[in-house]
Amino acid sequence: MIKKMWEKFVDKKIIPYVFTCSSHPMRFLELLKANKAFVDGLDPSYTIPGFKLSIIRLYIVYFVLWNIIIIPASLIFHNFLAKLDCHLSIILAIIFTLLFFGTLQIFKEWLIDRVSQKVIKKAWQNHLPHFDYDKYKEKVAQIYAEAIDKDIPKYELERYILDRLVEND
């Protein structure tokens, strides 16, 4: 329940604020390349067209989310933290600084993966609406790789992939 609410909040509020997404539809060849890159686990920010990350807005969102968690925790544990030795306080400050920047990078990569998948799914609905994305994404990436190996011309690529998908079903 909480996970669904968090994902809905991310999709409706954070992603539109942090990312600028293109209103133009992705071409079929771009979809194939993006899907292959996403399935292969390549960095989506460089391989998938259609979105741009605003670093400043990412920092703002992350700072607000971090403070929503840290400020109540520090208020709850204030008496305990006030009685700590100064050396232990320095060590805790270093640990929390590491956690802050480490989780920032994890949060950034998670958001980029989420947006990449949304962009690919949107293009998938335009070009391959009769095939479920979750079921066929690996198969399409595999067929696309075979088509590249066989030097299938770009103008025959869509027909080749659709024929192969229909053959396998």
Side-chain angles (χ1 to χ4, degrees):
M1 175 83 173
I2 294 175
K3 183 179 178 183
K4 294 273 188 202
M5 289 174 36
W6 168 249
E7 289 175 352
K8 185 177 179 181
F9 176 73
V10 167
D11 290 341
K12 299 287 183 196
K13 302 293 182 189
I14 294 176
I15 288 176
Y17 181 72
V18 174
F19 292 92
T20 305
C21 293
S22 174
S23 60
H24 300 293
M26 193 183 290
R27 293 179 292 168
F28 188 72
L29 187 59
E30 290 176 331
L31 168 63
L32 294 176
K33 288 179 182 178
N35 182 57
K36 175 94 171 81
F38 191 77
V39 168
D40 290 345
L42 299 177
D43 186 9
S45 58
Y46 299 115
T47 57
I48 298 176
F51 66 90
K52 181 181 175 187
L53 171 69
S54 171
I55 297 292
I56 299 297
R57 289 183 175 192
L58 174 73
Y59 290 157
I60 291 169
V61 167
Y62 185 74
F63 184 74
V64 168
L65 290 174
W66 181 263
N67 281 314
I68 287 172
I69 294 169
I70 291 299
I71 289 176
S74 64
L75 290 175
I76 291 170
F77 295 109
H78 177 73
N79 288 335
F80 174 73
L81 294 172
K83 295 176 185 175
L84 280 180
D85 181 46
C86 67
H87 295 93
L88 193 54
S89 296
I90 293 170
I91 292 171
L92 284 176
I94 292 170
I95 290 171
F96 276 100
T97 303
L98 289 172
L99 281 173
F100 178 82
F101 288 109
T103 54
L104 171 64
Q105 189 63 29
I106 292 169
F107 180 69
K108 176 183 168 186
E109 290 177 13
W110 179 76
L111 277 180
I112 290 172
D113 280 346
R114 191 154 182 90
V115 170
S116 300
Q117 194 168 26
K118 282 181 67 172
V119 167
I120 292 172
K121 281 184 178 182
K122 183 178 175 185
W124 192 280
Q125 288 303 313
N126 285 342
H127 297 290
L128 300 166
H130 301 293
F131 300 97
D132 182 49
Y133 171 75
D134 294 321
K135 184 177 177 184
Y136 288 99
K137 64 183 176 185
E138 284 100 13
K139 192 65 160 170
V140 170
Q142 178 186 1
I143 294 170
Y144 175 62
E146 291 172 10
I148 291 173
D149 290 342
K150 292 180 180 180
D151 291 329
I152 303 292
K154 291 180 183 178
Y155 63 90
E156 290 182 10
L157 199 56
E158 185 171 2
R159 188 179 60 122
Y160 176 79
I161 289 179
L162 289 174
D163 287 346
R164 290 292 311 271
L165 283 172
V166 172
E167 279 176 15
N168 291 333
D169 268 351

mmCIF file of all heavy atoms in Angstrom, residues 128-169:
data_model
loop_
_atom_site.group_PDB
_atom_site.id
_atom_site.type_symbol
_atom_site.label_atom_id
_atom_site.label_comp_id
_atom_site.label_asym_id
_atom_site.label_seq_id
_atom_site.Cartn_x
_atom_site.Cartn_y
_atom_site.Cartn_z
ATOM 1 N N LEU A 128 4.114 -1.034 -30.954
ATOM 2 C CA LEU A 128 3.833 -2.459 -30.734
ATOM 3 C C LEU A 128 2.673 -2.632 -29.748
ATOM 4 O O LEU A 128 2.819 -3.280 -28.711
ATOM 5 C CB LEU A 128 5.084 -3.165 -30.198
ATOM 6 C CG LEU A 128 6.321 -3.118 -31.090
ATOM 7 C CD1 LEU A 128 7.558 -3.537 -30.318
ATOM 8 C CD2 LEU A 128 6.130 -3.982 -32.311
ATOM 9 N N PRO A 129 1.510 -2.059 -30.057
ATOM 10 C CA PRO A 129 0.416 -2.075 -29.070
ATOM 11 C C PRO A 129 -0.181 -3.458 -28.821
ATOM 12 O O PRO A 129 -0.795 -3.680 -27.779
ATOM 13 C CB PRO A 129 -0.627 -1.143 -29.688
ATOM 14 C CG PRO A 129 -0.373 -1.219 -31.149
ATOM 15 C CD PRO A 129 1.114 -1.393 -31.292
ATOM 16 N N HIS A 130 0.015 -4.401 -29.736
ATOM 17 C CA HIS A 130 -0.588 -5.726 -29.584
ATOM 18 C C HIS A 130 0.292 -6.695 -28.797
ATOM 19 O O HIS A 130 -0.087 -7.846 -28.579
ATOM 20 C CB HIS A 130 -0.906 -6.316 -30.955
ATOM 21 C CG HIS A 130 -1.836 -5.452 -31.746
ATOM 22 N ND1 HIS A 130 -3.142 -5.243 -31.383
ATOM 23 C CD2 HIS A 130 -1.635 -4.712 -32.859
ATOM 24 C CE1 HIS A 130 -3.712 -4.430 -32.238
ATOM 25 N NE2 HIS A 130 -2.823 -4.090 -33.150
ATOM 26 N N PHE A 131 1.466 -6.232 -28.400
ATOM 27 C CA PHE A 131 2.396 -7.071 -27.655
ATOM 28 C C PHE A 131 2.662 -6.426 -26.301
ATOM 29 O O PHE A 131 3.063 -5.271 -26.233
ATOM 30 C CB PHE A 131 3.709 -7.242 -28.420
ATOM 31 C CG PHE A 131 3.533 -7.885 -29.770
ATOM 32 C CD1 PHE A 131 3.454 -7.119 -30.913
ATOM 33 C CD2 PHE A 131 3.440 -9.266 -29.878
ATOM 34 C CE1 PHE A 131 3.284 -7.704 -32.147
ATOM 35 C CE2 PHE A 131 3.279 -9.859 -31.110
ATOM 36 C CZ PHE A 131 3.187 -9.082 -32.250
ATOM 37 N N ASP A 132 2.444 -7.183 -25.241
ATOM 38 C CA ASP A 132 2.651 -6.690 -23.883
ATOM 39 C C ASP A 132 4.132 -6.383 -23.653
ATOM 40 O O ASP A 132 4.997 -7.217 -23.940
ATOM 41 C CB ASP A 132 2.158 -7.730 -22.873
ATOM 42 C CG ASP A 132 2.300 -7.257 -21.450
ATOM 43 O OD1 ASP A 132 1.878 -6.119 -21.159
ATOM 44 O OD2 ASP A 132 2.846 -8.022 -20.627
ATOM 45 N N TYR A 133 4.408 -5.193 -23.126
ATOM 46 C CA TYR A 133 5.793 -4.765 -22.923
ATOM 47 C C TYR A 133 6.550 -5.708 -21.988
ATOM 48 O O TYR A 133 7.662 -6.146 -22.303
ATOM 49 C CB TYR A 133 5.830 -3.337 -22.382
ATOM 50 C CG TYR A 133 7.209 -2.901 -21.953
ATOM 51 C CD1 TYR A 133 8.169 -2.574 -22.891
ATOM 52 C CD2 TYR A 133 7.558 -2.844 -20.605
ATOM 53 C CE1 TYR A 133 9.441 -2.201 -22.516
ATOM 54 C CE2 TYR A 133 8.823 -2.465 -20.218
ATOM 55 C CZ TYR A 133 9.756 -2.146 -21.172
ATOM 56 O OH TYR A 133 11.021 -1.779 -20.793
ATOM 57 N N ASP A 134 5.973 -6.000 -20.841
ATOM 58 C CA ASP A 134 6.675 -6.820 -19.851
ATOM 59 C C ASP A 134 6.962 -8.228 -20.362
ATOM 60 O O ASP A 134 7.969 -8.829 -19.994
ATOM 61 C CB ASP A 134 5.859 -6.890 -18.549
ATOM 62 C CG ASP A 134 5.755 -5.537 -17.875
ATOM 63 O OD1 ASP A 134 6.758 -4.797 -17.895
ATOM 64 O OD2 ASP A 134 4.680 -5.213 -17.338
ATOM 65 N N LYS A 135 6.085 -8.738 -21.204
ATOM 66 C CA LYS A 135 6.254 -10.093 -21.716
ATOM 67 C C LYS A 135 7.244 -10.151 -22.883
ATOM 68 O O LYS A 135 7.998 -11.116 -23.013
ATOM 69 C CB LYS A 135 4.894 -10.637 -22.158
ATOM 70 C CG LYS A 135 4.913 -12.064 -22.619
ATOM 71 C CD LYS A 135 3.506 -12.532 -22.967
ATOM 72 C CE LYS A 135 3.529 -13.952 -23.498
ATOM 73 N NZ LYS A 135 2.196 -14.394 -23.918
ATOM 74 N N TYR A 136 7.284 -9.121 -23.721
ATOM 75 C CA TYR A 136 8.024 -9.189 -24.976
ATOM 76 C C TYR A 136 9.285 -8.323 -25.049
ATOM 77 O O TYR A 136 9.967 -8.334 -26.054
ATOM 78 C CB TYR A 136 7.108 -8.811 -26.150
ATOM 79 C CG TYR A 136 6.082 -9.850 -26.464
ATOM 80 C CD1 TYR A 136 4.779 -9.725 -26.000
ATOM 81 C CD2 TYR A 136 6.404 -10.962 -27.216
ATOM 82 C CE1 TYR A 136 3.832 -10.689 -26.282
ATOM 83 C CE2 TYR A 136 5.461 -11.932 -27.513
ATOM 84 C CZ TYR A 136 4.169 -11.788 -27.045
ATOM 85 O OH TYR A 136 3.243 -12.745 -27.330
ATOM 86 N N LYS A 137 9.602 -7.571 -24.006
ATOM 87 C CA LYS A 137 10.737 -6.652 -24.107
ATOM 88 C C LYS A 137 12.061 -7.376 -24.372
ATOM 89 O O LYS A 137 12.855 -6.920 -25.203
ATOM 90 C CB LYS A 137 10.845 -5.750 -22.877
ATOM 91 C CG LYS A 137 11.131 -6.465 -21.580
ATOM 92 C CD LYS A 137 11.144 -5.497 -20.418
ATOM 93 C CE LYS A 137 11.340 -6.248 -19.120
ATOM 94 N NZ LYS A 137 11.251 -5.370 -17.976
ATOM 95 N N GLU A 138 12.305 -8.505 -23.681
ATOM 96 C CA GLU A 138 13.550 -9.241 -23.915
ATOM 97 C C GLU A 138 13.564 -9.890 -25.297
ATOM 98 O O GLU A 138 14.585 -9.931 -25.968
ATOM 99 C CB GLU A 138 13.778 -10.313 -22.842
ATOM 100 C CG GLU A 138 14.256 -9.770 -21.515
ATOM 101 C CD GLU A 138 13.128 -9.648 -20.516
ATOM 102 O OE1 GLU A 138 12.037 -10.210 -20.771
ATOM 103 O OE2 GLU A 138 13.321 -8.989 -19.481
ATOM 104 N N LYS A 139 12.400 -10.384 -25.711
ATOM 105 C CA LYS A 139 12.296 -11.042 -27.019
ATOM 106 C C LYS A 139 12.566 -10.040 -28.140
ATOM 107 O O LYS A 139 13.284 -10.350 -29.097
ATOM 108 C CB LYS A 139 10.905 -11.662 -27.167
ATOM 109 C CG LYS A 139 10.789 -12.576 -28.322
ATOM 110 C CD LYS A 139 11.692 -13.758 -28.100
ATOM 111 C CE LYS A 139 11.300 -14.924 -28.935
ATOM 112 N NZ LYS A 139 12.315 -15.962 -28.884
ATOM 113 N N VAL A 140 11.998 -8.837 -28.031
ATOM 114 C CA VAL A 140 12.224 -7.807 -29.046
ATOM 115 C C VAL A 140 13.687 -7.389 -29.071
ATOM 116 O O VAL A 140 14.271 -7.201 -30.146
ATOM 117 C CB VAL A 140 11.291 -6.592 -28.818
ATOM 118 C CG1 VAL A 140 11.674 -5.416 -29.689
ATOM 119 C CG2 VAL A 140 9.848 -6.987 -29.078
ATOM 120 N N ALA A 141 14.312 -7.276 -27.920
ATOM 121 C CA ALA A 141 15.740 -6.923 -27.868
ATOM 122 C C ALA A 141 16.582 -8.011 -28.530
ATOM 123 O O ALA A 141 17.532 -7.702 -29.269
ATOM 124 C CB ALA A 141 16.179 -6.716 -26.421
ATOM 125 N N GLN A 142 16.223 -9.256 -28.295
ATOM 126 C CA GLN A 142 16.949 -10.377 -28.904
ATOM 127 C C GLN A 142 16.760 -10.385 -30.425
ATOM 128 O O GLN A 142 17.722 -10.558 -31.177
ATOM 129 C CB GLN A 142 16.460 -11.696 -28.300
ATOM 130 C CG GLN A 142 17.100 -12.930 -28.882
ATOM 131 C CD GLN A 142 16.454 -14.203 -28.346
ATOM 132 O OE1 GLN A 142 15.522 -14.157 -27.558
ATOM 133 N NE2 GLN A 142 16.957 -15.329 -28.785
ATOM 134 N N ILE A 143 15.529 -10.172 -30.879
ATOM 135 C CA ILE A 143 15.255 -10.153 -32.319
ATOM 136 C C ILE A 143 15.965 -8.973 -32.979
ATOM 137 O O ILE A 143 16.502 -9.098 -34.086
ATOM 138 C CB ILE A 143 13.734 -10.110 -32.581
ATOM 139 C CG1 ILE A 143 13.087 -11.411 -32.098
ATOM 140 C CG2 ILE A 143 13.438 -9.880 -34.056
ATOM 141 C CD1 ILE A 143 11.571 -11.377 -32.087
ATOM 142 N N TYR A 144 15.994 -7.834 -32.304
ATOM 143 C CA TYR A 144 16.688 -6.656 -32.835
ATOM 144 C C TYR A 144 18.188 -6.933 -32.967
ATOM 145 O O TYR A 144 18.818 -6.567 -33.964
ATOM 146 C CB TYR A 144 16.425 -5.438 -31.951
ATOM 147 C CG TYR A 144 17.192 -4.208 -32.353
ATOM 148 C CD1 TYR A 144 16.990 -3.623 -33.598
ATOM 149 C CD2 TYR A 144 18.118 -3.631 -31.500
ATOM 150 C CE1 TYR A 144 17.689 -2.487 -33.985
ATOM 151 C CE2 TYR A 144 18.829 -2.507 -31.867
ATOM 152 C CZ TYR A 144 18.603 -1.934 -33.103
ATOM 153 O OH TYR A 144 19.309 -0.816 -33.480
ATOM 154 N N ALA A 145 18.764 -7.597 -31.981
ATOM 155 C CA ALA A 145 20.184 -7.944 -32.050
ATOM 156 C C ALA A 145 20.450 -8.891 -33.221
ATOM 157 O O ALA A 145 21.456 -8.738 -33.934
ATOM 158 C CB ALA A 145 20.640 -8.570 -30.739
ATOM 159 N N GLU A 146 19.559 -9.851 -33.433
ATOM 160 C CA GLU A 146 19.697 -10.753 -34.579
ATOM 161 C C GLU A 146 19.598 -9.985 -35.889
ATOM 162 O O GLU A 146 20.325 -10.272 -36.842
ATOM 163 C CB GLU A 146 18.609 -11.833 -34.540
ATOM 164 C CG GLU A 146 18.758 -12.836 -33.434
ATOM 165 C CD GLU A 146 17.555 -13.764 -33.320
ATOM 166 O OE1 GLU A 146 16.682 -13.753 -34.234
ATOM 167 O OE2 GLU A 146 17.482 -14.502 -32.324
ATOM 168 N N ALA A 147 18.683 -9.029 -35.950
ATOM 169 C CA ALA A 147 18.507 -8.235 -37.172
ATOM 170 C C ALA A 147 19.765 -7.417 -37.479
ATOM 171 O O ALA A 147 20.155 -7.280 -38.646
ATOM 172 C CB ALA A 147 17.297 -7.320 -37.030
ATOM 173 N N ILE A 148 20.388 -6.905 -36.452
ATOM 174 C CA ILE A 148 21.636 -6.156 -36.657
ATOM 175 C C ILE A 148 22.721 -7.089 -37.168
ATOM 176 O O ILE A 148 23.468 -6.743 -38.087
ATOM 177 C CB ILE A 148 22.070 -5.463 -35.347
ATOM 178 C CG1 ILE A 148 21.111 -4.337 -35.000
ATOM 179 C CG2 ILE A 148 23.486 -4.917 -35.466
ATOM 180 C CD1 ILE A 148 21.354 -3.720 -33.650
ATOM 181 N N ASP A 149 22.811 -8.299 -36.587
ATOM 182 C CA ASP A 149 23.809 -9.275 -37.031
ATOM 183 C C ASP A 149 23.588 -9.697 -38.483
ATOM 184 O O ASP A 149 24.543 -9.950 -39.219
ATOM 185 C CB ASP A 149 23.790 -10.515 -36.133
ATOM 186 C CG ASP A 149 24.325 -10.223 -34.735
ATOM 187 O OD1 ASP A 149 25.019 -9.196 -34.574
ATOM 188 O OD2 ASP A 149 24.036 -11.014 -33.819
ATOM 189 N N LYS A 150 22.326 -9.782 -38.884
ATOM 190 C CA LYS A 150 21.995 -10.186 -40.252
ATOM 191 C C LYS A 150 22.000 -9.016 -41.243
ATOM 192 O O LYS A 150 21.684 -9.199 -42.404
ATOM 193 C CB LYS A 150 20.619 -10.856 -40.280
ATOM 194 C CG LYS A 150 20.577 -12.188 -39.585
ATOM 195 C CD LYS A 150 19.185 -12.781 -39.671
ATOM 196 C CE LYS A 150 19.108 -14.124 -38.975
ATOM 197 N NZ LYS A 150 17.758 -14.700 -39.060
ATOM 198 N N ASP A 151 22.305 -7.820 -40.760
ATOM 199 C CA ASP A 151 22.320 -6.613 -41.593
ATOM 200 C C ASP A 151 20.985 -6.370 -42.302
ATOM 201 O O ASP A 151 20.943 -6.062 -43.497
ATOM 202 C CB ASP A 151 23.457 -6.667 -42.623
ATOM 203 C CG ASP A 151 24.818 -6.561 -41.972
ATOM 204 O OD1 ASP A 151 24.917 -5.903 -40.924
ATOM 205 O OD2 ASP A 151 25.785 -7.142 -42.507
ATOM 206 N N ILE A 152 19.903 -6.499 -41.568
ATOM 207 C CA ILE A 152 18.578 -6.202 -42.110
ATOM 208 C C ILE A 152 18.489 -4.695 -42.324
ATOM 209 O O ILE A 152 18.814 -3.918 -41.423
ATOM 210 C CB ILE A 152 17.465 -6.668 -41.132
ATOM 211 C CG1 ILE A 152 17.584 -8.144 -40.817
ATOM 212 C CG2 ILE A 152 16.084 -6.308 -41.664
ATOM 213 C CD1 ILE A 152 17.302 -9.073 -41.954
ATOM 214 N N PRO A 153 18.068 -4.237 -43.518
ATOM 215 C CA PRO A 153 17.955 -2.793 -43.770
ATOM 216 C C PRO A 153 16.920 -2.144 -42.845
ATOM 217 O O PRO A 153 15.961 -2.786 -42.412
ATOM 218 C CB PRO A 153 17.496 -2.704 -45.228
ATOM 219 C CG PRO A 153 17.716 -4.046 -45.809
ATOM 220 C CD PRO A 153 17.749 -5.025 -44.694
ATOM 221 N N LYS A 154 17.107 -0.868 -42.568
ATOM 222 C CA LYS A 154 16.228 -0.157 -41.640
ATOM 223 C C LYS A 154 14.776 -0.148 -42.111
ATOM 224 O O LYS A 154 13.865 -0.226 -41.305
ATOM 225 C CB LYS A 154 16.720 1.284 -41.445
ATOM 226 C CG LYS A 154 18.008 1.368 -40.688
ATOM 227 C CD LYS A 154 18.448 2.804 -40.530
ATOM 228 C CE LYS A 154 19.796 2.862 -39.836
ATOM 229 N NZ LYS A 154 20.280 4.230 -39.711
ATOM 230 N N TYR A 155 14.566 -0.059 -43.414
ATOM 231 C CA TYR A 155 13.198 0.008 -43.913
ATOM 232 C C TYR A 155 12.473 -1.336 -43.807
ATOM 233 O O TYR A 155 11.250 -1.387 -43.881
ATOM 234 C CB TYR A 155 13.146 0.539 -45.345
ATOM 235 C CG TYR A 155 13.844 -0.332 -46.376
ATOM 236 C CD1 TYR A 155 13.162 -1.345 -47.042
ATOM 237 C CD2 TYR A 155 15.188 -0.128 -46.681
ATOM 238 C CE1 TYR A 155 13.800 -2.139 -47.981
ATOM 239 C CE2 TYR A 155 15.833 -0.920 -47.616
ATOM 240 C CZ TYR A 155 15.127 -1.922 -48.261
ATOM 241 O OH TYR A 155 15.768 -2.698 -49.186
ATOM 242 N N GLU A 156 13.184 -2.431 -43.620
ATOM 243 C CA GLU A 156 12.572 -3.750 -43.454
ATOM 244 C C GLU A 156 12.568 -4.214 -41.992
ATOM 245 O O GLU A 156 12.053 -5.288 -41.691
ATOM 246 C CB GLU A 156 13.319 -4.785 -44.300
ATOM 247 C CG GLU A 156 13.140 -4.630 -45.777
ATOM 248 C CD GLU A 156 13.859 -5.714 -46.559
ATOM 249 O OE1 GLU A 156 14.334 -6.694 -45.938
ATOM 250 O OE2 GLU A 156 13.948 -5.579 -47.783
ATOM 251 N N LEU A 157 13.140 -3.414 -41.122
ATOM 252 C CA LEU A 157 13.315 -3.814 -39.731
ATOM 253 C C LEU A 157 11.983 -4.039 -39.004
ATOM 254 O O LEU A 157 11.817 -5.038 -38.300
ATOM 255 C CB LEU A 157 14.144 -2.759 -38.997
ATOM 256 C CG LEU A 157 14.811 -3.159 -37.715
ATOM 257 C CD1 LEU A 157 15.702 -4.365 -37.919
ATOM 258 C CD2 LEU A 157 15.624 -2.005 -37.180
ATOM 259 N N GLU A 158 11.044 -3.146 -39.183
ATOM 260 C CA GLU A 158 9.762 -3.269 -38.490
ATOM 261 C C GLU A 158 9.039 -4.542 -38.922
ATOM 262 O O GLU A 158 8.527 -5.300 -38.092
ATOM 263 C CB GLU A 158 8.886 -2.046 -38.755
ATOM 264 C CG GLU A 158 7.601 -2.050 -37.974
ATOM 265 C CD GLU A 158 6.839 -0.749 -38.078
ATOM 266 O OE1 GLU A 158 7.279 0.170 -38.799
ATOM 267 O OE2 GLU A 158 5.782 -0.651 -37.436
ATOM 268 N N ARG A 159 9.006 -4.796 -40.209
ATOM 269 C CA ARG A 159 8.345 -6.003 -40.715
ATOM 270 C C ARG A 159 9.062 -7.256 -40.205
ATOM 271 O O ARG A 159 8.423 -8.228 -39.799
ATOM 272 C CB ARG A 159 8.312 -5.998 -42.233
ATOM 273 C CG ARG A 159 7.479 -7.125 -42.813
ATOM 274 C CD ARG A 159 7.482 -7.037 -44.308
ATOM 275 N NE ARG A 159 8.864 -7.160 -44.761
ATOM 276 C CZ ARG A 159 9.286 -8.097 -45.591
ATOM 277 N NH1 ARG A 159 8.445 -8.954 -46.085
ATOM 278 N NH2 ARG A 159 10.543 -8.170 -45.937
ATOM 279 N N TYR A 160 10.392 -7.229 -40.204
ATOM 280 C CA TYR A 160 11.175 -8.373 -39.737
ATOM 281 C C TYR A 160 10.853 -8.692 -38.275
ATOM 282 O O TYR A 160 10.617 -9.845 -37.911
ATOM 283 C CB TYR A 160 12.670 -8.096 -39.909
ATOM 284 C CG TYR A 160 13.563 -9.179 -39.372
ATOM 285 C CD1 TYR A 160 13.786 -10.342 -40.099
ATOM 286 C CD2 TYR A 160 14.170 -9.054 -38.123
ATOM 287 C CE1 TYR A 160 14.610 -11.355 -39.600
ATOM 288 C CE2 TYR A 160 14.992 -10.051 -37.623
ATOM 289 C CZ TYR A 160 15.201 -11.199 -38.367
ATOM 290 O OH TYR A 160 16.003 -12.196 -37.868
ATOM 291 N N ILE A 161 10.825 -7.667 -37.436
ATOM 292 C CA ILE A 161 10.576 -7.871 -36.004
ATOM 293 C C ILE A 161 9.147 -8.349 -35.769
ATOM 294 O O ILE A 161 8.920 -9.280 -34.995
ATOM 295 C CB ILE A 161 10.895 -6.597 -35.208
ATOM 296 C CG1 ILE A 161 12.410 -6.427 -35.195
ATOM 297 C CG2 ILE A 161 10.333 -6.657 -33.802
ATOM 298 C CD1 ILE A 161 12.932 -5.239 -34.501
ATOM 299 N N LEU A 162 8.192 -7.737 -36.444
ATOM 300 C CA LEU A 162 6.800 -8.176 -36.275
ATOM 301 C C LEU A 162 6.603 -9.606 -36.761
ATOM 302 O O LEU A 162 5.904 -10.398 -36.115
ATOM 303 C CB LEU A 162 5.856 -7.220 -37.005
ATOM 304 C CG LEU A 162 5.704 -5.840 -36.369
ATOM 305 C CD1 LEU A 162 4.873 -4.940 -37.248
ATOM 306 C CD2 LEU A 162 5.128 -5.931 -34.978
ATOM 307 N N ASP A 163 7.215 -9.960 -37.878
ATOM 308 C CA ASP A 163 7.120 -11.335 -38.373
ATOM 309 C C ASP A 163 7.706 -12.326 -37.375
ATOM 310 O O ASP A 163 7.126 -13.384 -37.121
ATOM 311 C CB ASP A 163 7.835 -11.477 -39.724
ATOM 312 C CG ASP A 163 7.073 -10.828 -40.864
ATOM 313 O OD1 ASP A 163 5.874 -10.503 -40.675
ATOM 314 O OD2 ASP A 163 7.676 -10.619 -41.939
ATOM 315 N N ARG A 164 8.849 -12.006 -36.819
ATOM 316 C CA ARG A 164 9.492 -12.895 -35.845
ATOM 317 C C ARG A 164 8.673 -13.016 -34.567
ATOM 318 O O ARG A 164 8.581 -14.085 -33.981
ATOM 319 C CB ARG A 164 10.893 -12.379 -35.508
ATOM 320 C CG ARG A 164 11.917 -12.510 -36.621
ATOM 321 C CD ARG A 164 12.281 -13.969 -36.916
ATOM 322 N NE ARG A 164 12.604 -14.737 -35.740
ATOM 323 C CZ ARG A 164 13.819 -14.860 -35.202
ATOM 324 N NH1 ARG A 164 14.852 -14.262 -35.755
ATOM 325 N NH2 ARG A 164 14.003 -15.577 -34.114
ATOM 326 N N LEU A 165 8.049 -11.911 -34.127
ATOM 327 C CA LEU A 165 7.212 -11.974 -32.940
ATOM 328 C C LEU A 165 5.988 -12.848 -33.179
ATOM 329 O O LEU A 165 5.586 -13.640 -32.305
ATOM 330 C CB LEU A 165 6.772 -10.569 -32.512
ATOM 331 C CG LEU A 165 7.816 -9.719 -31.801
ATOM 332 C CD1 LEU A 165 7.301 -8.304 -31.616
ATOM 333 C CD2 LEU A 165 8.190 -10.321 -30.471
ATOM 334 N N VAL A 166 5.388 -12.719 -34.332
ATOM 335 C CA VAL A 166 4.204 -13.524 -34.655
ATOM 336 C C VAL A 166 4.582 -14.997 -34.816
ATOM 337 O O VAL A 166 3.837 -15.892 -34.392
ATOM 338 C CB VAL A 166 3.516 -12.969 -35.921
ATOM 339 C CG1 VAL A 166 2.403 -13.891 -36.384
ATOM 340 C CG2 VAL A 166 2.953 -11.588 -35.645
ATOM 341 N N GLU A 167 5.748 -15.272 -35.410
ATOM 342 C CA GLU A 167 6.219 -16.657 -35.565
ATOM 343 C C GLU A 167 6.367 -17.351 -34.211
ATOM 344 O O GLU A 167 6.027 -18.524 -34.060
ATOM 345 C CB GLU A 167 7.588 -16.691 -36.257
ATOM 346 C CG GLU A 167 7.574 -16.570 -37.728
ATOM 347 C CD GLU A 167 8.990 -16.528 -38.287
ATOM 348 O OE1 GLU A 167 9.949 -16.877 -37.547
ATOM 349 O OE2 GLU A 167 9.150 -16.149 -39.446
ATOM 350 N N ASN A 168 6.915 -16.619 -33.249
ATOM 351 C CA ASN A 168 7.212 -17.219 -31.944
ATOM 352 C C ASN A 168 5.962 -17.445 -31.089
ATOM 353 O O ASN A 168 6.026 -18.179 -30.116
ATOM 354 C CB ASN A 168 8.220 -16.365 -31.184
ATOM 355 C CG ASN A 168 9.580 -16.407 -31.838
ATOM 356 O OD1 ASN A 168 9.932 -17.361 -32.498
ATOM 357 N ND2 ASN A 168 10.339 -15.336 -31.663
ATOM 358 N N ASP A 169 4.880 -16.785 -31.434
ATOM 359 C CA ASP A 169 3.650 -16.979 -30.639
ATOM 360 C C ASP A 169 2.874 -18.085 -31.179
ATOM 361 O O ASP A 169 2.415 -18.788 -31.643
ATOM 362 C CB ASP A 169 2.808 -15.708 -30.626
ATOM 363 C CG ASP A 169 3.148 -14.841 -29.425
ATOM 364 O OD1 ASP A 169 3.885 -15.314 -28.558
ATOM 365 O OD2 ASP A 169 2.681 -13.706 -29.375
#
